[in-house]
Amino acid sequence: MKNDFQVKKIKHVAIIMDGNGRWAQNRAHRRVWGHVRGSSIVSDVVERSDDLGVEALTLYAFSTENWSRPQAEVKTLFSLLKKFLMRERSRILKNKIRFKVIGDIVNLPEATKDLIAKLENETKDFDGLKLSFAFGYGGRSEIVSGIKSLVEQGIEISEESISKAMYAPEIGDVDLLIRTGGDQRISNFLLWQVAYAELFFTNTKWPDFNTEEYEDILRSVEGRERRFGAVDETESLDSARKMARVNHQQY
Ligand code: FPP
């Protein structure tokens, strides 16, 4: 079902789903409970992205730095990924969602790696929402491995060739990066692709995030002017004239 509001400028949304641990601790629960609750929001956000015409959605589920968390927490995140894949498989296929995991997943249990490979293969030609989970992901590693592969293949280093050497080049640059949980950081997420992204930081912790807030963010960012470092000539002339008039009146 298509929503009345459709995004036009925002094609690729990336989300840092932060604040799970604090959300749980504030409720006197163990941190992993926050991840469990947080994982239940993911499907709603995927579905709403599809309804609103977002073309690519990339979710930060597990960073390279997260490997140093307690084993129990790491295992919970693995198992939530597996459960998501099992629970959402039919919906992903039905909605023609192209699913991918970006990052280093060698240490994941074999059964989970098989589920990922199967779903990636089944959905690789779909033309719906491009849904990517960043798992075992680090932006710097992605850039290093991209550049290494270009050097190995003897391909000239350029912005274009580096973009093409990223884990999922088809998702393109990020238009909007949302981070929940109150911190205002990029945290090694899609470093190459966020160059001109609009940034949106919300204090809402991920388990409290919902599709209403998500849609509000998309609406407000759609209204922002994005100049990509350039200036509209007519606009700058207009504002210069206005400025001159003000100055003239003042003196
Ligand atoms: C950051 O919160 C969040 C993560 C490290 C993991 C995000 C994972 C999920 C939302 C669930 C995974 C779901 C699927 C479907 C794979 P934090 O623990 O750093 O929170 P804190 O900043 O409050 O400590």
Side-chain angles (χ1 to χ4, degrees), residues 37-162:
R37 290 296 294 260
S39 70
S40 65
I41 319 294
V42 172
S43 326
D44 293 346
V45 171
V46 171
E47 192 174 0
R48 186 59 67 95
S49 301
D50 209 10
D51 292 345
L52 296 174
V54 171
E55 290 176 15
L57 175 68
T58 307
L59 301 172
Y60 210 177
F62 191 88
S63 70
T64 41
E65 292 73 23
N66 291 154
W67 286 113
S68 61
R69 293 199 174 191
Q71 268 297 304
E73 189 170 339
V74 170
K75 277 196 174 150
T76 301
L77 288 165
F78 287 177
S79 100
L80 289 172
L81 175 63
K82 187 176 174 200
K83 282 186 183 143
F84 177 90
L85 296 171
M86 295 196 301
R87 192 177 64 233
E88 296 299 321
R89 183 173 170 274
S90 57
R91 200 141 52 128
I92 287 175
L93 295 176
K94 182 170 153 260
N95 293 321
K96 302 278 174 230
I97 291 174
R98 198 292 334 251
F99 177 80
K100 231 181 206 185
V101 171
I102 56 170
D104 181 2
I105 54 165
V106 284
N107 290 328
L108 252 58
E110 289 304 320
T112 312
K113 282 196 277 192
D114 289 348
L115 282 172
I116 293 170
K118 189 163 176 249
L119 196 54
E120 284 186 340
N121 191 43
E122 283 175 313
T123 64
K124 68 180 187 321
D125 297 322
F126 284 173
D127 58 2
L129 176 74
K130 293 180 181 72
L131 171 63
S132 309
F133 277 176
F135 210 94
Y137 173 89
R140 286 186 171 182
S141 301
E142 181 181 28
I143 296 170
V144 169
S145 93
I147 291 176
K148 270 189 183 164
S149 88
L150 293 175
V151 171
E152 275 162 23
Q153 295 172 76
I155 297 172
E156 192 185 339
I157 306 292
S158 68
E159 291 195 14
E160 203 191 343
S161 66
I162 295 175

Side-chain angles (χ1 to χ4, degrees), residues 17-22 31 35 39 61 66 69 77 84 206:
M17 307 180 288
D18 197 19
N20 295 348
R22 280 167 288 156
R31 293 174 49 82
H35 298 317
S39 70
N66 291 154
R69 293 199 174 191
L77 288 165
F84 177 90
W206 179 254

Side-chain angles (χ1 to χ4, degrees), residues 228-243:
F228 299 93
V231 175
D232 181 299
E233 254 184 53
T234 47
E235 192 186 290
S236 69
L237 205 60
D238 274 356
S239 50
R241 283 194 191 114
K242 264 184 220 141
M243 240 0 194

